[in-house]
Amino acid sequence: MKFLLNTGRTTSQCSNLSMKNSFEYQHVVSACSMNPVDMMILGLEDDNHIILSRNGVMVIVYITEEEEVDRGTLFLPAGPYANFLLDFDTHGTGVPDFKWVEVSVSITTLDIIPVWKLMAACGGVRYEG
Amino acid sequence: MEILLDADRPLLFGWSNSFEEAQLLGVRIAGLIGGVIDNTASIYEGPAVPGFEELRHQGCTLEQVKEKSNVVVYWGCDPVMSHPRHMSRYTTYARYLFLDNSFRKRTVIVFDARKTSTSNLADEFVKIDPGCDYAVLSALRVIFLGKKDLLPAFISGVLREQLVHIAELIKNSRVCAFFIGQGLSETRGKFENIRNVVELARELNKHTETSIFPMWEHGNIYSAKKVLNQISGYPSSVDFARGVGYYNPGETTAVDVLARNECDACLIVGSDPGAILPRPCCQHLAQIPTIQIDPHINATTHLSKIQIPTAQSGIDAEGVYYRMDGTPVPIKKLYQSGYPSDAEVLKRIYIKIMDSKGVKP
């Protein structure tokens, strides 16, 4: 099912900015808000894991119910999970499309991967110091 | 230092959580090695910069907003979430001299594509279809020009009568402050949206006093923009490869330089591109020698070849921060730690580069 993904700041995301490798930060920035009617149609409940995919790239996040999110849209706090799906095309402005990108949603039982694994998927190496 | 000197096209990125002193050294290093220097303003608030530069909008301080404004407009931003102290210090909940009971008498108008915590507090909430801010801004300009009959009944999901009512509220205000966020600068239209807001403010200034504030989200991003502007003449994304500053958004911006696999070394100071840049940029950062100068271990640390820990601004390092209205604020440190500040680290790098280039201070 296709959705429009919106990203933005939240207080809990900003309060964990200095601990980006912590479970708390991972939990906050992988919380994807969805309208309860859409959740019912997809057969989802709070904390269920979903795959967001776009242009062959996918990322696993979990669902939270949010009545204020419009039907057909999703809200994900700005962070590595949201940015993993973004294109680099800036249309000559220097700014990628952070808002309202189309993503596909599917249900999964796979675990959410931590931030360092996302970076490892980009070619990075885990810093364990 | 050797990584930067050996690189053909180094990129120096970040600067939004550094003090002014470190930002100044960063621009000097970029000039010496002929690199590209960019700050996070180019990604988040970037479109606001050319929009403001083109039309030369003159702002005011937040204290003036606090003391004088009786209409506050938030467009594409959610300060309750992103700037938690903003409304209590400067707008909705701030008491001021020239209006009794400011909380009830100050009108708050929110324009956004989604319901937010701020829109729940607003006197008027205008819900715009996603990516259609430009049309609504243009419709408001038409109303201020006195040609509302030309508009259709609905403009991008907004009822014309609601816009007319809001236009009257703004027109009859004593001072109106516009706060614009990434919901406006990152959505479709980007810097053209900002240009339209500035044009709107210009039109409004015929009726009332109007000022615009971008809701800068990174700590010291105003300073990064200001320092670069003073030295090179451009606020962000400056390429010194030609010996003089060259600025072209879409070509010299960090996202484009990284996505085109153009740079062969990267120095990151006071920022976390691993968490804020798209995946292709992170992939290139992992391939090249990336040096990170930052107090925290963050997402970029996993992409870096070298990480230099520094003191945290305002905790164990002191310097000057700039507020989003451009007011400088000296920041003291709480205690002395063993870590150097990023300015001290950059100064050592700068001196070594000067020595190797044979440049005298």
Side-chain angles (χ1 to χ4, degrees), chain B residues 129-146:
Chain B
D129 287 345
C132 296
D133 302 72
Y134 191 91
V136 178
L137 279 164
S138 300
L140 273 176
R141 284 176 64 193
V142 168
I143 294 168
F144 287 126
L145 287 167

Side-chain angles (χ1 to χ4, degrees), chain A residues 6 9 11 18 20-21 57 68 70 75 79 83-84 88 90 92-95 97-98 100 116 119 122 124-125 127, chain B residues 42-44 47 81 113-114 120 127 130 186 190 217 249 253 256 259 272 274-276 279-280 283 296-297 299 302:
Chain A
N6 188 19
R9 302 276 173 203
T11 315
S18 58
K20 283 190 177 150
N21 291 301
V57 180
E68 295 191 342
D70 288 340
F75 179 80
N83 291 346
F84 201 75
F88 60 84
T90 67
T93 62
V95 187
D97 293 326
F98 286 105
W100 308 117
W116 74 264
M119 295 300 113
C122 295
V125 179
Y127 177 81
Chain B
S42 76
I43 302 165
Y44 287 118
M81 282 290 179
R114 64 184 178 101
N120 292 336
K127 193 165 176 304
E186 287 175 357
K190 295 181 180 172
E217 285 199 354
T253 32
D256 296 278
D272 183 13
I276 62 174
R279 182 180 38 82
Q283 285 172 333
H296 305 297
I297 296 166
H302 308 300

Side-chain angles (χ1 to χ4, degrees), chain A residues 4 6-12 14 17-21 25 54-55 57 67-70 73 75 78-80 83-100 115-116 119-129, chain B residues 42-44 46-47 78 80-82 84 113-117 120 127 130-131 182-183 185-187 190-191 217-218 249-251 253 255-256 259-260 272 274-284 286 296-303 307:
Chain A
L4 279 180
N6 188 19
T7 64
R9 302 276 173 203
T10 64
T11 315
S12 47
C14 293
L17 277 182
S18 58
M19 302 178 290
K20 283 190 177 150
N21 291 301
Y25 179 76
R54 183 169 187 251
N55 298 340
V57 180
E67 284 186 12
E68 295 191 342
V69 173
D70 288 340
T73 68
F75 179 80
N83 291 346
F84 201 75
L85 293 168
L86 297 183
D87 278 343
F88 60 84
D89 190 3
T90 67
H91 317 291
T93 62
V95 187
D97 293 326
F98 286 105
K99 309 279 183 188
W100 308 117
V115 172
W116 74 264
M119 295 300 113
C122 295
V125 179
R126 186 182 187 182
Y127 177 81
E128 295 177 345
Chain B
S42 76
I43 302 165
Y44 287 118
D78 183 11
V80 172
M81 282 290 179
S82 60
R114 64 184 178 101
K115 278 187 187 171
T116 60
S117 308
N120 292 336
K127 193 165 176 304
Q182 291 166 14
S185 61
E186 287 175 357
T187 193
K190 295 181 180 172
F191 74 90
E217 285 199 354
H218 291 80
E251 181 189 348
T253 32
V255 174
D256 296 278
R260 286 196 305 262
D272 183 13
I276 62 174
L277 294 187
R279 182 180 38 82
C281 302
C282 298
Q283 285 172 333
H284 188 61
H296 305 297
I297 296 166
N298 51 33
T300 309
T301 313
H302 308 300
L303 303 171
Q307 210 265 0

